[in-house]
Amino acid sequence: MWNHLASTDFVAILSYALPLVSYLVTIQRRQHDRSTRLFFLYLFLSAGFNTINFFTGVYYINNLLIYTLQFTVEYYLLSWMFMHLLKKAIYQKLIRWMMLGYVALLALNIRRILSTNTFDSYDAAFVGFVIIIYCILFFHLQLSNLQVTFIYRTPWFWFITALLFFYSGCFLIFLSTDYIMYFNNSFSIGLWDLRNLLDIVKNIVITIGIFYLPGKYSWKTY
């Protein structure tokens, strides 16, 4: 019932305690605007979904549909968050089109999604690819802003870096899982070990960013 992949999954789930506990500890002393609240709602729900997937996996309960729900919820939360971060009209329009595009992809892919034998690689890869684009646009916007001198001293530098690191590393894992898991299961387990490692590093980086959140009575620097 317990195997190597389950152990790395468990460590990855525990790593969510670092940013979530740090966030709760500082919530009374730091500024938390809507984008920050959306980001930590995303993180909280990710921890919840990963916990559900862990226990369903340990007890051999099919959880492929839960993964699709997780990708969908995470995608729309992050899209709404980036709509608050990327204020340019062209970026806002792009995000809206990408949100509609994901709905269309779900509709076209509905038979695969409802199948109990197929991992939803296409939708997962789409989410990863679009989030990477959002992150790049964010850094482009920040670097073109002359008022931002030390970008690494802002919380969003760390938060977006964590997302970019995680989704860049996971993109090919998501895209290839459906094919690999049925032809080379041991290699598939190795890929998801890597995905768990990326998740752990992501949560550590986010934790660093929390301590750059401005105090409640200080001026915002981002």
Side-chain angles (χ1 to χ4, degrees):
M1 187 166 61
W2 188 274
N3 54 39
H4 173 66
L5 180 59
S7 64
T8 60
D9 274 338
F10 186 68
V11 174
I13 292 168
L14 287 180
S15 72
Y16 278 87
L18 285 171
L20 291 175
V21 171
S22 299
Y23 176 72
L24 292 174
V25 167
T26 61
I27 198 168
Q28 296 299 322
R29 295 182 285 109
R30 304 282 182 175
Q31 293 181 12
H32 304 279
D33 57 13
R34 183 172 295 180
S35 52
T36 306
R37 291 192 292 270
L38 283 170
F39 180 74
F40 282 96
L41 177 59
Y42 150 80
L43 203 65
F44 176 78
L45 292 177
S46 293
F49 276 116
N50 287 336
T51 302
I52 293 171
N53 289 328
F54 170 75
F55 283 107
T56 53
V58 166
Y59 291 100
Y60 302 104
I61 300 171
N62 192 294
N63 56 13
L64 296 177
L65 192 58
I66 299 174
Y67 274 109
T68 299
L69 180 60
Q70 177 179 358
F71 296 137
T72 302
V73 170
E74 291 177 350
Y75 175 69
Y76 281 103
L77 280 175
L78 289 177
S79 293
W80 289 327
M81 181 195 78
F82 275 104
M83 288 192 74
H84 291 285
L85 296 175
L86 303 174
K87 298 294 187 180
K88 284 189 175 182
I90 189 172
Y91 295 160
Q92 298 271 314
K93 187 177 294 186
L94 173 66
I95 293 172
R96 290 190 181 97
W97 277 108
M98 289 297 99
M99 293 170 74
L100 289 174
Y102 187 71
V103 173
L105 182 62
L106 288 176
L108 293 172
N109 208 26
I110 191 66
R111 292 183 64 181
R112 288 173 55 86
I113 292 171
L114 296 178
S115 170
T116 58
N117 299 313
T118 306
F119 178 79
D120 193 14
S121 281
Y122 298 142
D123 298 340
F126 177 89
V127 170
F129 181 73
V130 174
I131 298 303
I132 292 169
I133 293 175
Y134 291 167
C135 292
I136 293 172
L137 290 176
F138 172 84
F139 282 120
H140 173 74
L141 194 63
Q142 291 297 300
L143 293 173
S144 63
N145 184 359
L146 297 178
Q147 293 180 342
V148 180
T149 307
F150 301 105
I151 189 174
Y152 60 88
R153 292 184 180 177
T154 66
W156 286 104
F157 167 80
W158 297 95
F159 297 163
I160 303 302
T161 296
L163 292 178
L164 182 59
F165 176 81
F166 176 73
Y167 284 103
S168 296
C170 287
F171 172 70
L172 290 178
I173 296 174
F174 291 154
L175 187 61
S176 60
T177 293
D178 182 40
Y179 176 80
I180 293 175
M181 69 187 295
Y182 295 110
F183 292 94
N184 192 333
N185 190 54
S186 60
F187 185 61
S188 177
I189 290 173
L191 286 179
W192 278 84
D193 276 340
L194 176 59
R195 184 261 176 207
N196 291 333
L197 177 61
L198 293 170
D199 211 11
I200 293 167
V201 175
K202 178 198 73 177
N203 290 328
I204 293 172
V205 174
I206 291 171
T207 305
I208 297 172
I210 290 171
F211 295 98
Y212 285 95
L213 284 168
K216 270 197 170 179
Y217 303 104
S218 64
W219 294 100
K220 292 185 180 180
T221 57
Y222 59 91

